[in-house]
Amino acid sequence: MNAADTTVPPTEVRMAEIVFPNHTNHMGTLFGGQALAWMDKAAFLAAARYSRRTVVTARSDQVDFKLPIRVGQMVETIGRVVRVGRSSMHVEVELVTEDLLSGARQLCTKGTFVMIALDAEGHPTGVPVLPLPRD
């Protein structure tokens, strides 16, 4: 079986960004709003990729800013569909920094977003059942 033949929808997306000065506050750390925008984008992509539907953000649950993200760091944004309802998908999103010279990685921010799948008329519509993890 090749990748195009898979019947299990992908549940994860990964994006990489570099933090530039225009992304930061006066302390040289990433604006919270910028972090949330990257996280919402990853949640959108993960949910749309999983459901193969148009999706919208219904809610962002607790977002924990654990460590500051600084100018010059690479940020990997990882979104994973972790639970589904009839039309909703809970997407866990992490921001992980990586020092490009040393390779050191740290989890800096984590949160959950609830995305809703929509049909062509903009009404909530069903999504596939989340497959059980394989052993």
Side-chain angles (χ1 to χ4, degrees):
M1 173 183 354
N2 67 38
D5 297 332
T6 184
T7 58
V8 178
T11 59
E12 181 178 285
V13 296
R14 290 174 178 253
M15 305 179 323
E17 298 282 349
I18 187 77
V19 179
F20 289 112
N22 64 316
H23 296 132
T24 66
N25 59 28
H26 64 288
M27 302 286 292
T29 60
L30 187 67
F31 279 121
Q34 183 65 65
L36 290 171
W38 288 344
M39 294 173 80
D40 189 45
K41 183 178 181 181
F44 165 82
L45 289 170
R49 184 180 196 198
Y50 172 77
S51 67
R52 300 297 181 199
R53 301 279 188 191
T54 298
V55 300
V56 293
T57 306
R59 172 174 84 233
S60 61
D61 287 340
Q62 183 171 338
V63 175
D64 295 317
F65 295 89
K66 299 173 183 293
L67 296 170
I69 299 171
R70 303 193 183 286
V71 169
Q73 289 184 306
M74 184 184 94
V75 177
E76 185 174 23
T77 308
I78 305 162
R80 288 183 199 90
V81 177
V82 295
R83 192 173 75 193
V84 299
R86 191 189 76 72
S87 63
S88 65
M89 291 156 282
H90 293 244
V91 182
E92 192 174 88
V93 182
E94 298 173 336
L95 292 182
V96 177
T97 59
E98 182 175 325
D99 183 290
L100 292 174
L101 299 178
S102 71
R105 294 172 57 88
Q106 290 186 298
L107 173 64
C108 292
T109 307
K110 186 174 184 175
T112 302
F113 291 73
V114 178
M115 312 302 284
I116 303 294
L118 303 177
D119 65 17
E121 288 79 40
H123 299 107
T125 190
V127 298
V129 174
L130 192 61
L132 295 174
R134 295 181 187 172
D135 291 331

